[in-house]
Amino acid sequence: MAIKIMLDPGHGGKDPGAVGNGLQEKVLTLDIAKRIKRILETEYTGVEVRLTRESDIYLDLSERAKLANTWGADLFLSIHINAGGGTGWESYRYTAASAKTVAYQDTIHNAVIQAIDSGIKDRGKKAANFAVLRETKMPALLTENLFIDNAKDAAKLKDQAFLEKLARG
C-alpha cells in the first residue's frame, strides 16, 4: 500500500500570493511542488503524489483541503513563500494537531533545514489556525520558504540549485 502525499502549491490563478524582487509566490510554489513530486516518484517506492494544482489556476482554501480529504491522502503539505520583511524558513502545523502531525513536522522541518544552505535563518516550528491545516483530515503541514521581499532570500529563490535543495529537503 502506497503512502499518499498531497502537495499544495500555494496561491495560483488570480491570486499571485506574495510578490517581490521580480518573483511571484504562485510560480515558485508550483515549481517547488513539481520538484518534490519528481523526487518522490523517481527516487522512492510506495509513494503516490498528487498536486492540488498542476498549472496556474485558482483554488480556494476549502477546495484544496477537500481534494486531499476526498483522495484519502496520508499527508498534506502546503508550500508557500513568505513576505513582510523577514528572512528564513519556517513550518506550521494546526494548533490542535495530532501527535503524528507533530512528529511529521519535526522530521520534515529538520530535514529541510539540513538540506538548504547554511546561513538561512531557522524561524522555527510553529502552530497556526490556517484553513488548509484545520480542514484537512490527515497530518498537514504548511511551509514558508524564505521571504520573497528580502533581496538575499529572493536571490536564493532565483537559484535553481537552491530550489532543488529545498525540494529535496
Side-chain angles (χ1 to χ4, degrees):
M1 191 172 111
I3 184 170
K4 296 162 90 176
I5 300 172
M6 179 67 80
L7 299 175
D8 175 41
H11 307 279
K14 67 182 182 183
D15 176 11
V19 295
N21 292 293
L23 297 169
Q24 289 187 318
E25 182 175 8
K26 69 178 183 176
V27 173
L28 285 166
T29 59
L30 185 57
D31 180 345
I32 294 165
K34 286 181 175 180
R35 288 171 189 265
I36 295 170
K37 183 178 193 293
R38 174 186 43 79
I39 290 165
L40 290 173
E41 289 179 342
T42 60
E43 298 180 20
Y44 295 86
T45 57
V47 180
E48 193 176 343
V49 184
R50 287 190 185 171
L51 275 61
T52 55
R53 65 180 184 92
E54 302 234 8
S55 61
D56 187 18
I57 62 167
Y58 176 79
L59 295 168
D60 73 30
L61 300 174
S62 292
E63 286 176 284
R64 293 165 188 270
K66 186 178 178 184
L67 284 169
N69 292 337
T70 301
W71 182 44
D74 297 303
L75 175 66
F76 179 88
L77 178 63
S78 190
I79 301 160
H80 292 266
I81 311 294
N82 226 331
T87 186
W89 192 91
E90 61 195 347
S91 65
Y92 287 88
R93 62 173 167 76
Y94 181 50
T95 49
S98 67
K100 190 172 189 177
T101 300
V102 173
Y104 277 132
Q105 184 183 30
D106 287 342
T107 300
I108 292 170
H109 185 98
N110 295 337
V112 172
I113 290 298
Q114 285 180 4
I116 58 180
D117 296 342
S118 60
I120 292 175
K121 182 179 180 180
D122 180 351
R123 295 176 55 87
K125 295 173 245 183
K126 300 177 179 181
N129 187 22
F130 296 145
V132 292
L133 301 180
R134 182 180 63 248
E135 295 179 19
T136 45
K137 296 177 181 171
M138 71 289 306
L141 300 174
L142 184 146
T143 60
E144 289 283 5
N145 299 279
L146 308 186
F147 281 72
I148 205 164
D149 58 348
N150 174 301
K152 285 185 180 178
D153 282 11
K156 290 190 181 305
L157 292 169
K158 291 176 182 178
D159 177 359
Q160 298 302 306
F162 176 79
L163 293 175
E164 192 66 20
K165 285 182 191 177
L166 190 58
R168 190 158 293 284

